[in-house]
Amino acid sequence: MIKKFNLKLILLECFALIFIISGIKRFYIAYNGEQFDALMSEDWEKFESLTDVRIGEFLANQLYWFLGALIIGILTVGLINWKNKFGIINSIIVLILTFGISATGIYSSGIINRYLNYFCGIFGKGYGMSFLIGGLIIALIGIAILWKSIKMNKNTVHNTVYN
């Protein structure tokens, strides 16, 4: 079991999931761009005219999307680790790290997020288009990191057979 513990793989998968989940959160904001525009400008009448959902329920739906993306991501990582015969301990550690880091919200604030919002704001005036582009960029980075971890995972498994 301890031989199957791979810290580099765990960190790569954790960062990949964080990027993918952040991209999916941005897709939710992009999909509901007009509602978020109304919320950010505190135009309650416009928000109520756009949807029949209350504000609290609307924001709770964003949390449901986050939890759904987290569960799907962890299941995907678990299947990848299972297929390549890595221990379940890797998937459990990825789950704990990803949930712990994403619960703090540290990746949704800060200098990188500010520059990404500024860059994506060039392409659209509202939240819809700018968060769609930002979500695509972040999700693609996460998918590339996950792809790298899969390749590293395959190389690690095959290299141990020949050594």
Side-chain angles (χ1 to χ4, degrees):
M1 178 88 120
I2 199 74
K3 186 178 179 185
K4 304 271 184 173
F5 182 78
N6 189 341
L7 184 62
K8 189 175 184 180
L9 179 69
I10 290 170
L11 291 176
L12 275 175
E13 289 174 344
C14 182
F15 285 127
L17 283 181
I18 288 171
F19 278 105
I20 291 170
I21 290 169
S22 180
I24 289 173
K25 285 174 73 174
R26 284 180 175 265
F27 289 150
Y28 178 77
I29 293 172
Y31 182 73
N32 298 305
E34 292 180 10
Q35 290 93 342
F36 273 99
D37 284 336
L39 282 177
M40 296 310 278
S41 65
E42 297 181 4
D43 189 357
W44 311 120
E45 291 83 24
K46 182 179 179 184
F47 178 79
E48 290 174 358
S49 69
L50 292 172
T51 184
D52 58 346
V53 177
R54 287 191 237 148
I55 294 172
E57 186 179 346
F58 181 74
L59 296 175
N61 287 341
Q62 185 178 6
L63 180 65
Y64 297 145
W65 273 82
F66 162 73
L67 290 175
L70 180 67
I71 290 170
I72 291 171
I74 291 300
L75 289 175
T76 303
V77 166
L79 286 173
I80 290 169
N81 288 341
W82 175 69
K83 181 182 175 206
N84 293 313
K85 296 179 179 52
F86 273 90
I88 191 141
I89 191 74
N90 287 343
S91 299
I92 292 171
I93 293 172
V94 169
L95 169 69
I96 293 169
L97 282 175
T98 304
F99 190 73
I101 291 171
S102 61
T104 63
I106 196 165
Y107 62 88
S108 62
S109 63
I111 193 163
I112 294 173
N113 193 38
R114 253 185 271 139
Y115 284 126
L116 183 66
N117 288 342
Y118 175 74
F119 172 73
C120 296
I122 294 171
F123 299 106
K125 294 186 184 230
Y127 282 94
M129 186 56 71
S130 63
F131 271 71
L132 177 66
I133 293 169
L136 284 172
I137 291 170
I138 291 174
L140 288 176
I141 290 171
I143 291 170
I145 294 171
L146 189 61
W147 181 259
K148 174 68 177 165
S149 73
I150 292 170
K151 288 292 187 186
M152 187 183 82
N153 199 351
K154 285 182 180 180
N155 290 339
T156 304
V157 170
H158 293 303
N159 287 341
T160 57
V161 172
Y162 294 115
N163 290 335

